[in-house]
Amino acid sequence: MRVLVVDDEELMAGAIAEGLRQEAFAVDVAHDGAEVLDRLAAGGYDVVVLGLPRVRGDEVCRRIVAAGTGVRVLMLSVFVSDADRVAGLRVGADDHLAKPFAFAELVARVRALGSVVAHSGAQGQPQLAETVNAPGHRLP
């Protein structure tokens, strides 16, 4: 599974990337929104771990979803209120994890998101995102 780790704090991005590599993920790192979008345009990622500050992170997430790549987004943030988590999900994130976090939980969440990607289209079944976004099936 290919993962793109995005964080404007280089030490944080590097630590997350190294830990995920030790868990047998193929990992690349980006430090800003423009770099994320360029890498995603090239394709091949299953999950983006997005740890940019809220306003920039929300905008990058919106653009990832709008691009229709099917890549799953796990947002990381220091915002811990329910409203902040919900706001991240509303802009299109598939999951949200508050910093600080247990690394084992991050790995489990990345694996879960990756398994959604890996199983999409199995036996002709549409990917969940395709079903939810189909005309007449959009969730509020």
Side-chain angles (χ1 to χ4, degrees):
M1 176 185 335
R2 286 194 65 205
V3 178
L4 179 59
V5 174
V6 185
D7 203 302
D8 60 344
E9 296 178 25
E10 291 185 24
L11 290 176
M12 175 64 81
I16 292 170
E18 184 55 34
L20 290 173
R21 286 182 189 116
Q22 290 178 12
E23 295 290 328
F25 293 99
V27 182
D28 292 319
V29 175
H31 299 291
D32 63 53
E35 187 178 359
V36 173
L37 299 174
D38 287 345
R39 287 179 177 265
L40 290 177
Y45 292 101
D46 301 300
V47 176
V48 173
V49 177
L50 185 60
L52 295 175
R54 179 154 181 211
V55 173
R56 289 184 298 166
D58 286 358
E59 182 57 28
V60 170
C61 186
R62 277 189 200 94
R63 289 183 183 198
I64 291 170
V65 172
T69 63
V71 68
R72 312 308 277 186
V73 179
L74 169 60
M75 291 185 87
L76 301 177
S77 76
V78 295
F79 300 104
V80 293
S81 75
D82 289 342
D84 290 320
R85 287 187 193 110
V86 169
L89 297 171
R90 282 190 177 151
V91 298
D94 297 288
D95 198 358
H96 192 279
L97 186 59
K99 294 178 186 177
F101 52 84
F103 191 75
E105 183 177 4
L106 173 72
V107 170
R109 288 173 184 252
V110 169
R111 280 199 176 112
L113 290 173
S115 70
V116 170
V117 173
H119 291 102
S120 66
Q123 300 176 359
Q125 297 297 316
Q127 184 177 5
L128 177 61
E130 293 169 357
T131 302
V132 170
N133 291 322
H137 292 91
R138 183 102 175 122
L139 294 177

